Structure formats: C-alpha cells, structure tokens
Amino acid sequence: MINDILDLDRYPIDREGSPEWQQLVDDSIAALKANGMFNLEGFLRPGVAEKAVAEIRPVMDTHSHVHKRMHNIYFKPQIPELPQDHPALRKVETISHTVCADQIPGSTVLTIYEYQPLVRFLAATMGKSQLHVMQDPLARANVMGYRAGEALNWHFDRSEFTTTLLLQAPERGGDFEYRTDLRSDDDPNYDGVAKLLEGKDPEAQILRIKAGTLNVFRGKNTAHRVTTVEGERERMIAVFSYYERPGVMFTEEERIGFYGRAA
Ligand SMILES: [Fe+2]
C-alpha cells in the first residue's frame, strides 16, 4: 500500500541498512552539505500528488485558516541592536491558507508523514539518532495553500530542518527563492539582509520543483521565500514537523497564532 504511494524502487527508504539505502542517505547528506538542501524528485508515484490534492481540496476550499500578516525577515517585533527604521527590518507581507492535520484524518499526506521508514531515513540524513512525529494534533503536518496573489515572504526558519512535499505547483510564480548562508550563528549580517530585501543580492537563487518532490531544507541561516503565485492553480505543499524528542506539542498561544484556534 505505501509502495503504491511512494516510489520505493527509486528511493529505497524501506530497506534500512542495505547498501542502496546507505547510498541514498550518503547522497542526501552530500547535497545538504553542498546546497543546504536535498530533493527527492518523483518521491510520489505518478498520480499520487493529484489524489492527495483531491483529498485536501474540499477542506482547503471551505475550512482553511487564512493567515495574512506583515512581518520582517525575523518574525520578531524588534531586534534590540537595530534601530526600528533599519532596512534589515523592512516589512513584507505573507498570505497563505493552512489546513491542519486534525482536518485531514486518514489522508495520504498523513500516511506519508507517519511512515516510520521515512522518519528514520530523515533522522539518518540529519545525523540524528532518532526523530519523532509531533504529538500536536494541529501542527504535526500542515498543508499550505497559496492562491493567486499570495506568497510566503522572506524569513529564516526557527527549526534546523524543514521537510516539505510539493503536492501541486501553480501555473506561474510560487517559486522557492533562497539566499544560502546569508547569515551565520556568529554574524547576523544585517547589511546583507538589507541588500537582499532591496532586491539587490545577486546570490539569491530560484528553485523550481515539481509536484511529488520531497524537499529537506536547512533554513536557519539561509533566507528564503515563496514568490507570489499567479494563475488559477493553487500552490499546495505539505509541511512535516519532526522533533528529536517525542511528544512535542505547540502551546495554546502558538496554535492560536498559527491557526486561529486552540483546538
Ligand atoms: Fe521557511
């Protein structure tokens, strides 16, 4: 059954410890090191992304949470060492629609999220002894929808890694744009951040991925955004949250902040 969803012939994540499994882990680690990400194109078998979208569309159309806000690249009201008018604090707008895990029980997306060989494979690529699915009934896996005029604007991630699965690409726009290592743990590079926000950083790159691609991305110090979607087709992407410790929950405040409801 999972073999009908994931292309386990191409990506043998179910054969843990085999030479072909180890090769995939090694290739993924090498890509993470070189590019700050790896992509498993065709991770979903043909037709599966469309099926997953069909499962989610009714709730996305009627019960998704619209998140619309102005924010700076840090998602923080202020940075103590910067004046409020510093160009690194320029505000940008993010608009998206979110479907939470509790709204899509039994879906293909949740089946993939909970598939233990995937969790173990991801842990191996990240050099962790174990990863765990999140316990939070809302936050564990989300599907984000971006419609015409909507975008996820420039930011750094809070988490070390982000795992996403693109379910549907838009007709135009909705590209993943990133600037590798714009800052480091030791150097916030505020002038570089300002330059990027002014659209003057020649090192910003665009990645176009196909539906059915699994992407693992290190976004803590690599600034990134999803450009504005154009056209009729919604960009739909599943976002999977895994943690090193079991039982992780959001606080009620976080759930309200991200999803507009506590439960
Ligand atoms: Fe991000």
Side-chain angles (χ1 to χ4, degrees), residues 9 33 54 135-136 142 169 184-185 249 255:
D9 303 314
K33 207 168 173 192
Q135 194 173 327
D136 194 284
N142 290 164
S184 68
D185 291 344
M249 297 281 285
R255 281 199 291 272

Side-chain angles (χ1 to χ4, degrees), residues 44-52:
L44 297 185
R45 292 209 186 261
V48 172
E50 291 82 351
K51 179 174 171 262

Side-chain angles (χ1 to χ4, degrees), residues 116-176:
Q116 283 306 307
L118 174 61
V119 184
R120 288 196 293 271
F121 165 73
L122 291 171
T125 65
M126 295 172 198
K128 318 267 185 211
S129 58
Q130 277 194 80
L131 282 177
H132 300 273
V133 294
M134 199 179 187
Q135 194 173 327
D136 194 284
L138 277 64
R140 51 211 316 267
N142 290 164
V143 179
M144 313 296 294
Y146 299 89
R147 302 175 188 179
E150 300 182 348
L152 169 59
N153 227 310
W154 287 114
H155 66 283
F156 296 105
D157 287 344
R158 293 196 299 178
S159 54
E160 191 184 342
F161 292 92
T162 302
T163 304
T164 58
L165 182 57
L166 187 67
L167 302 177
Q168 179 169 277
E171 287 158 36
R172 295 180 305 283
D175 291 316
F176 186 72

Side-chain angles (χ1 to χ4, degrees), residues 34 39 55 63 97 112 115 119 154 181 197 205-206 222 237:
N39 288 290
E55 290 169 357
H63 287 87
H97 289 71
I112 298 167
Y115 181 51
V119 184
W154 287 114
D181 295 334
L197 296 174
Q205 288 175 273
I206 290 218
T222 290
I237 188 162

Side-chain angles (χ1 to χ4, degrees), residues 36-106:
M37 70 170 84
F38 69 85
N39 288 290
L40 305 187
E41 194 179 309
F43 188 62
L44 297 185
R45 292 209 186 261
V48 172
E50 291 82 351
K51 179 174 171 262
V53 166
E55 290 169 357
I56 289 153
R57 182 175 306 289
V59 63
M60 180 65 86
D61 285 351
T62 57
H63 287 87
S64 50
H65 176 62
V66 181
H67 203 91
K68 174 175 161 132
R69 57 176 167 163
M70 296 295 295
H71 59 88
N72 60 37
I73 198 167
Y74 306 105
F75 283 128
K76 284 179 185 161
Q78 65 243 326
I79 297 289
E81 64 258 43
L82 289 184
Q84 280 292 11
D85 61 351
H86 191 283
L89 295 178
R90 170 200 285 252
K91 290 215 166 151
V92 291
E93 186 177 47
T94 281
I95 313 176
S96 58
H97 289 71
T98 307
V99 166
C100 294
D102 65 333
Q103 296 175 297
I104 47 169

